[in-house]
Short mmCIF file of all heavy atoms in Angstrom, two decimals:
data_model
loop_
_atom_site.label_atom_id
_atom_site.label_comp_id
_atom_site.label_asym_id
_atom_site.label_seq_id
_atom_site.Cartn_x
_atom_site.Cartn_y
_atom_site.Cartn_z
N GLU A 179 205.25 -99.02 15.06
CA GLU A 179 205.39 -97.64 14.66
C GLU A 179 206.59 -97.48 13.69
O GLU A 179 206.50 -96.70 12.72
CB GLU A 179 205.59 -96.74 15.89
CG GLU A 179 204.35 -96.52 16.72
CD GLU A 179 203.82 -97.75 17.39
OE1 GLU A 179 204.63 -98.57 17.91
OE2 GLU A 179 202.59 -97.93 17.45
N GLN A 180 207.65 -98.22 13.93
CA GLN A 180 208.80 -98.14 13.03
C GLN A 180 208.43 -98.65 11.64
O GLN A 180 208.79 -98.04 10.62
CB GLN A 180 209.96 -99.03 13.58
CG GLN A 180 210.53 -98.55 14.89
CD GLN A 180 211.57 -99.50 15.44
OE1 GLN A 180 212.24 -100.21 14.71
NE2 GLN A 180 211.73 -99.53 16.76
N ILE A 181 207.69 -99.76 11.56
CA ILE A 181 207.26 -100.31 10.28
C ILE A 181 206.31 -99.34 9.57
O ILE A 181 206.42 -99.12 8.36
CB ILE A 181 206.60 -101.66 10.49
CG1 ILE A 181 207.61 -102.72 10.83
CG2 ILE A 181 205.78 -102.08 9.26
CD1 ILE A 181 208.58 -103.06 9.70
N THR A 182 205.40 -98.76 10.34
CA THR A 182 204.42 -97.83 9.76
C THR A 182 205.13 -96.62 9.18
O THR A 182 204.81 -96.18 8.08
CB THR A 182 203.38 -97.39 10.82
OG1 THR A 182 202.68 -98.54 11.26
CG2 THR A 182 202.41 -96.38 10.24
N LYS A 183 206.11 -96.09 9.91
CA LYS A 183 206.88 -94.96 9.41
C LYS A 183 207.57 -95.34 8.08
O LYS A 183 207.57 -94.57 7.12
CB LYS A 183 207.93 -94.52 10.42
CG LYS A 183 208.81 -93.37 9.94
CD LYS A 183 209.89 -93.03 10.95
CE LYS A 183 210.84 -91.96 10.41
NZ LYS A 183 211.91 -91.60 11.39
N LEU A 184 208.20 -96.49 8.06
CA LEU A 184 208.91 -96.94 6.84
C LEU A 184 207.96 -97.06 5.65
O LEU A 184 208.29 -96.64 4.53
CB LEU A 184 209.57 -98.26 7.13
CG LEU A 184 210.37 -98.92 5.97
CD1 LEU A 184 211.56 -98.01 5.63
CD2 LEU A 184 210.88 -100.27 6.39
N ILE A 185 206.77 -97.62 5.88
CA ILE A 185 205.81 -97.75 4.80
C ILE A 185 205.34 -96.42 4.30
O ILE A 185 205.27 -96.19 3.08
CB ILE A 185 204.60 -98.63 5.26
CG1 ILE A 185 205.04 -100.08 5.44
CG2 ILE A 185 203.47 -98.51 4.25
CD1 ILE A 185 203.95 -101.00 6.01
N LEU A 186 205.05 -95.49 5.21
CA LEU A 186 204.61 -94.16 4.79
C LEU A 186 205.68 -93.44 3.98
O LEU A 186 205.38 -92.80 2.96
CB LEU A 186 204.23 -93.32 6.02
CG LEU A 186 202.98 -93.76 6.76
CD1 LEU A 186 202.77 -92.89 8.01
CD2 LEU A 186 201.73 -93.71 5.88
N LYS A 187 206.94 -93.55 4.40
CA LYS A 187 208.03 -92.94 3.67
C LYS A 187 208.14 -93.57 2.29
O LYS A 187 208.39 -92.86 1.29
CB LYS A 187 209.34 -93.13 4.42
CG LYS A 187 209.48 -92.24 5.64
CD LYS A 187 210.75 -92.54 6.42
CE LYS A 187 211.99 -92.30 5.59
NZ LYS A 187 213.21 -92.56 6.35
N SER A 188 207.94 -94.89 2.19
CA SER A 188 207.98 -95.56 0.90
C SER A 188 206.89 -95.09 -0.07
O SER A 188 207.02 -95.20 -1.28
CB SER A 188 207.89 -97.09 1.06
OG SER A 188 208.96 -97.56 1.87
N LEU A 189 205.78 -94.59 0.52
CA LEU A 189 204.67 -94.10 -0.27
C LEU A 189 204.80 -92.64 -0.62
O LEU A 189 203.93 -92.05 -1.24
CB LEU A 189 203.34 -94.35 0.46
CG LEU A 189 202.97 -95.81 0.68
CD1 LEU A 189 201.70 -95.91 1.52
CD2 LEU A 189 202.78 -96.55 -0.65
N GLY A 190 205.91 -92.03 -0.20
CA GLY A 190 206.20 -90.63 -0.56
C GLY A 190 205.93 -89.60 0.53
O GLY A 190 206.08 -88.39 0.27
N VAL A 191 205.58 -90.04 1.73
CA VAL A 191 205.38 -89.09 2.82
C VAL A 191 206.76 -88.69 3.35
O VAL A 191 207.66 -89.54 3.50
CB VAL A 191 204.55 -89.74 3.97
CG1 VAL A 191 204.35 -88.78 5.12
CG2 VAL A 191 203.17 -90.16 3.41
N SER A 192 206.93 -87.41 3.70
CA SER A 192 208.22 -86.97 4.19
C SER A 192 208.57 -87.66 5.50
O SER A 192 207.71 -88.11 6.25
CB SER A 192 208.21 -85.44 4.42
OG SER A 192 207.37 -85.14 5.53
N SER A 193 209.87 -87.74 5.78
CA SER A 193 210.33 -88.48 6.95
C SER A 193 209.75 -87.90 8.24
O SER A 193 209.27 -88.63 9.10
CB SER A 193 211.87 -88.43 7.01
OG SER A 193 212.34 -89.14 8.14
N ASP A 194 209.76 -86.57 8.39
CA ASP A 194 209.27 -85.93 9.58
C ASP A 194 207.76 -86.18 9.74
O ASP A 194 207.28 -86.46 10.85
CB ASP A 194 209.55 -84.45 9.61
CG ASP A 194 211.02 -84.11 9.81
OD1 ASP A 194 211.78 -85.03 10.22
OD2 ASP A 194 211.43 -82.98 9.57
N ASP A 195 207.05 -86.03 8.64
CA ASP A 195 205.62 -86.23 8.68
C ASP A 195 205.26 -87.68 8.97
O ASP A 195 204.35 -87.99 9.74
CB ASP A 195 205.01 -85.82 7.34
CG ASP A 195 203.54 -85.47 7.45
OD1 ASP A 195 203.01 -85.41 8.59
OD2 ASP A 195 202.91 -85.22 6.40
N ALA A 196 206.01 -88.61 8.35
CA ALA A 196 205.78 -90.03 8.56
C ALA A 196 205.99 -90.39 10.03
O ALA A 196 205.23 -91.17 10.61
CB ALA A 196 206.69 -90.85 7.68
N GLU A 197 207.01 -89.83 10.63
CA GLU A 197 207.30 -90.12 12.04
C GLU A 197 206.20 -89.59 12.95
O GLU A 197 205.73 -90.25 13.86
CB GLU A 197 208.66 -89.57 12.45
CG GLU A 197 208.96 -89.83 13.90
CD GLU A 197 210.44 -89.68 14.24
OE1 GLU A 197 211.22 -89.41 13.33
OE2 GLU A 197 210.78 -89.87 15.44
N ALA A 198 205.76 -88.34 12.66
CA ALA A 198 204.70 -87.74 13.47
C ALA A 198 203.42 -88.56 13.40
O ALA A 198 202.74 -88.75 14.42
CB ALA A 198 204.45 -86.31 12.99
N ILE A 199 203.08 -89.04 12.25
CA ILE A 199 201.87 -89.83 12.07
C ILE A 199 202.02 -91.20 12.71
O ILE A 199 201.13 -91.71 13.40
CB ILE A 199 201.51 -90.00 10.55
CG1 ILE A 199 201.17 -88.64 9.97
CG2 ILE A 199 200.38 -90.98 10.37
CD1 ILE A 199 201.04 -88.66 8.44
N ALA A 200 203.15 -91.85 12.46
CA ALA A 200 203.37 -93.23 12.93
C ALA A 200 203.43 -93.30 14.43
O ALA A 200 203.06 -94.35 15.01
CB ALA A 200 204.62 -93.81 12.28
N PHE A 201 203.94 -92.26 15.08
CA PHE A 201 204.12 -92.29 16.52
C PHE A 201 203.06 -91.52 17.28
O PHE A 201 203.19 -91.30 18.46
CB PHE A 201 205.54 -91.82 16.88
CG PHE A 201 206.60 -92.81 16.56
CD1 PHE A 201 207.17 -92.84 15.30
CD2 PHE A 201 207.05 -93.72 17.55
CE1 PHE A 201 208.16 -93.79 15.02
CE2 PHE A 201 208.04 -94.65 17.23
CZ PHE A 201 208.59 -94.68 15.97
N LYS A 202 202.03 -91.08 16.58
CA LYS A 202 200.94 -90.37 17.23
C LYS A 202 200.19 -91.33 18.20
O LYS A 202 200.14 -92.51 17.97
CB LYS A 202 199.95 -89.88 16.17
CG LYS A 202 198.84 -89.02 16.70
CD LYS A 202 197.97 -88.50 15.55
CE LYS A 202 196.88 -87.60 16.03
NZ LYS A 202 196.06 -87.02 14.91
N ALA A 203 199.73 -90.77 19.30
CA ALA A 203 199.03 -91.60 20.29
C ALA A 203 197.95 -92.44 19.62
O ALA A 203 197.13 -91.92 18.86
CB ALA A 203 198.44 -90.73 21.38
N LEU A 204 197.94 -93.73 19.92
CA LEU A 204 196.98 -94.65 19.31
C LEU A 204 195.89 -94.99 20.30
O LEU A 204 196.14 -95.45 21.40
CB LEU A 204 197.72 -95.94 18.91
CG LEU A 204 196.94 -96.97 18.10
CD1 LEU A 204 196.53 -96.38 16.76
CD2 LEU A 204 197.76 -98.23 17.90
#
Side-chain angles (χ1 to χ4, degrees):
E179 287 66 40
Q180 295 176 28
I181 287 293
T182 298
K183 176 183 176 181
L184 181 63
I185 289 175
L186 291 177
K187 287 175 62 179
S188 299
L189 296 175
V191 179
S192 70
S193 181
D194 288 346
D195 202 6
E197 179 162 358
I199 294 170
F201 286 85
K202 186 175 182 178
L204 187 64

